[in-house]
Amino acid sequence: MILRLLGRPGWTRHPRRPRCYRSAAYRPLRPWQVREWQFRWTRFGRRGLDPAEVQEFLDRVAVDLAAAYQALGDSRHEAARVRDALRRWQSTQFRQRVNEGWYR
């Protein structure tokens, strides 16, 4: 605010990126949570869901969720491997240039 009032050149405010709002209580579902989820029975005289069909659906969701978490873990592992390889390559390039006299 003060820099803006002083009119300093080069001062810009970075716009905020839109983000998805999530409360602090939000916890992502894990596959085991989906598998163990129990639906409440409906009251007497009302229609309900077929328990076998619901369980089959929950199993399918849990399998897909497990695959997504596995893919996420694999991609994080791959990103870490690439970062480490890049650091090693940068270090060797720097050492070579120092030995060649670029940084004296």
Side-chain angles (χ1 to χ4, degrees):
M1 180 73 178
I2 294 173
L3 293 176
R4 191 167 157 189
L5 292 174
L6 294 175
R8 289 202 174 182
W11 183 79
T12 58
R13 182 179 180 158
H14 296 287
R16 288 186 175 197
R17 291 182 292 186
R19 294 184 180 174
C20 179
Y21 171 77
R22 289 189 176 158
S23 71
Y26 175 81
R27 299 285 184 254
L29 283 175
R30 301 292 183 196
W32 64 268
Q33 291 171 318
V34 174
R35 284 189 187 100
E36 293 179 1
W37 187 266
Q38 296 292 318
F39 289 94
R40 286 180 271 150
W41 291 97
T42 58
R43 287 186 250 164
F44 182 74
R46 300 189 76 190
R47 287 199 244 170
L49 301 172
D50 179 16
E53 189 176 348
V54 170
Q55 191 59 47
E56 180 184 337
F57 175 76
L58 290 178
D59 288 340
R60 287 181 58 198
V61 170
V63 168
D64 289 347
L65 202 54
Y69 278 114
Q70 180 65 40
L72 181 62
D74 292 346
S75 65
R76 286 181 177 162
H77 179 69
E78 180 69 13
R81 189 186 67 77
V82 169
R83 275 193 305 271
D84 291 341
L86 178 62
R87 283 187 194 118
R88 285 193 306 273
W89 180 82
Q90 287 173 332
S91 296
T92 58
Q93 292 296 312
F94 179 74
R95 277 189 240 111
Q96 286 176 356
R97 290 185 180 181
V98 166
N99 291 339
E100 292 172 2
W102 285 47
Y103 296 105
R104 287 186 189 213

